[in-house]
Amino acid sequence: MTRVLVTGAAGQIGSALVPALQDAYGEAAVVATDLHERHTEGAAPVHALDCTDRDQITVLLRRHNPDVVYHLAALLSAVGERHPQRAYDVNLGGLFNMLEAAREQGFALFTPSSIAAFGPSTPGDRTPQDTLQRPTTMYGVTKVAGELLCDYYHTRYGVDTRGVRYPGIISATPPGGGTTDYAVEIFFAAVEKGSYTSFLAPDTQLDMMYMPDAIRAAMDLMEADGRRLRHRNAFNVTAMQLTPATLASAIRAHIPTFTLDCEVDPMRQAIAESWPRELDDSAAREEWGWSPHYDLTETTADMLRLVRERTATPAH
Ligand code: NAD
Ligand code: SER
């Protein structure tokens, strides 16, 4: 039986990943952890694990003895700019603690990087797998350093570290304070109010992916034959390139009266403009068979269905 532990399990990605892992490996095989303990009806219990607390990590990981850890605990880009020192501690200090535990206990470690690992000097169109990485946010700095740390632990100690550079993730689970959060908020606003005020300018293009593809990317990479992985810790992956305006017109196919306006948040606009417009994910396709299943049309239809269910709002 494969035993799995997830950190940051109560967040946007974790709350979708945990049930998917339970489906694949069985409920008893999956341990969900986050900063604070949680008991929500119908969901796996979340155990307290602060990834900046080395002693707590050692005790909990020895107790559960996982084969694979999905390390999702992090502060995202906008929160990270408001609290850079805390972002450094959680994103890099927490990762260092998990890598040390992986070295001592021998588990495989999945750590997501991000489009934020690139910066304004990176080629923004068809951004290559291997290219310039000079990010200008604390979040991005921790993501590049994290990619390098994971590479180091693999080559120096043989730890089975793997990861992807996620684009913005669209889901009906709430996002945690990133620059791409507009692409989730817009669906809730469309269903609940029929209008949305975007904090990014309407023509700001970024890579995006629907949650089921993000979950499949993580799980497929961890199941892939490690001998085929040349870029093991930082695979570019993408599914679609969106702007607030293109997302609004996809929503208008379902809600014709939907309106989009915009009040730009200068901090998040500057972050978005420093990130690629479209990643080249051919290394992931070649080395472990990655390909997305959801395009904009399918994502929009499914998101509106889920958001209506969650907000109990009937279709117009
Ligand atoms: P999120 O903010 O929704 O969730 C992160 C979780 O980490 C939260 O539940 C939070 O409580 C927890 N956490 C914070 N500090 C902690 C600590 N000290 N110890 C333990 N847990 C702590 O983030 P997410 O969107 O689920 O992202 C998960 C991972 O994926 C992160 O590494 C993030 O950088 C990466 N990623 C996410 C996106 C996206 O669009 N969601 C895109 C690229 C990369
Ligand atoms: N979605 C994330 C953010 O905006 C990208 O890593 O911070």
Side-chain angles (χ1 to χ4, degrees):
M1 180 174 85
T2 303
R3 292 179 307 279
V4 184
L5 185 139
V6 182
T7 72
Q12 184 191 8
I13 296 177
S15 46
L17 178 64
V18 168
L21 291 169
Q22 288 178 323
D23 285 348
Y25 302 116
E27 269 184 42
V30 181
V31 176
T33 71
D34 206 293
L35 196 48
H36 302 294
E37 190 176 294
R38 281 189 203 198
H39 294 273
T40 314
E41 209 180 312
V46 175
H47 304 272
L49 177 61
D50 179 348
C51 69
T52 64
D53 183 337
R54 185 83 186 272
D55 294 337
Q56 203 185 18
I57 289 174
T58 306
V59 170
L60 204 90
L61 285 167
R62 283 206 181 126
R63 186 186 311 148
H64 293 290
N65 193 23
D67 302 296
V68 184
V69 171
Y70 289 82
H71 178 49
L72 305 182
L75 266 53
L76 273 72
S77 58
V79 178
E81 282 313 283
R82 285 197 287 274
H83 307 285
Q85 293 78 9
R86 176 91 186 130
Y88 182 91
D89 286 346
V90 174
N91 296 9
L92 261 187
L95 175 59
F96 178 76
N97 290 339
M98 295 310 297
L99 285 163
E100 275 295 288
R103 179 175 71 82
E104 285 163 11
Q105 297 180 33
F107 55 80
L109 185 66
F110 174 83
T111 310
S113 185
S114 163
I115 49 173
F118 299 113
S121 53
T122 301
D125 291 306
R126 297 287 298 160
T127 301
Q129 174 66 44
D130 300 307
T131 185
L132 270 175
Q133 291 183 264
R134 308 291 294 174
T136 47
T137 60
M138 176 55 89
Y139 177 65
V141 168
T142 64
K143 287 296 172 187
V144 182
E147 291 178 4
L148 294 171
L149 259 183
C150 290
D151 282 351
Y152 180 82
Y153 270 74
H154 176 66
T155 48
R156 177 81 167 79
Y157 299 116
V159 177
D160 187 1
T161 52
R162 305 183 186 196
V164 296
R165 293 181 183 131
Y166 276 135
I169 306 298
I170 299 176
S171 70
T173 48
T179 301
T180 57
D181 292 11
Y182 89 83
V184 174
E185 292 171 5
I186 195 170
F187 286 100
F188 282 87
V191 167
E192 290 173 333
K193 296 191 299 189
S195 65
Y196 178 63
T197 303
S198 171
F199 56 78
L200 293 185
D203 58 350
T204 310
Q205 181 178 310
L206 291 168
D207 281 282
M208 297 279 174
M209 182 180 292
Y210 193 34
M211 185 64 87
D213 278 333
I215 299 305
R216 208 168 39 75
M219 291 173 63
D220 283 359
L221 177 57
M222 293 317 286
E223 293 284 353
D225 179 351
R227 290 167 303 185
R228 291 185 58 203
L229 305 179
R230 285 196 306 112
H231 297 92
R232 51 174 45 243
N233 286 303
F235 283 100
N236 285 1
V237 286
T238 185
M240 50 196 142
Q241 291 70 45
L242 301 183
T243 67
T246 51
L247 204 37
S249 48
I251 290 171
R252 252 179 241 117
H254 299 262
I255 307 173
T257 53
F258 174 70
T259 57
L260 173 73
D261 59 22
C262 151
E263 274 171 30
V264 168
D265 168 11
M267 182 187 79
R268 285 180 286 184
Q269 184 67 34
I271 293 176
E273 285 173 12
S274 76
W275 291 351
R277 290 162 50 81
E278 179 184 9
L279 297 183
D280 174 355
D281 62 1
S282 49
R285 289 170 185 267
E286 281 159 26
E287 293 176 40
W288 49 280
W290 157 251
S291 73
H293 290 176
Y294 286 83
D295 63 12
L296 174 58
T297 307
E298 288 155 337
T299 300
T300 305
D302 204 48
M303 272 296 286
L304 289 172
R305 177 185 65 76
L306 286 175
V307 171
R308 282 180 179 128
E309 268 171 33
R310 290 206 179 165
T311 57
T313 311
H316 296 284

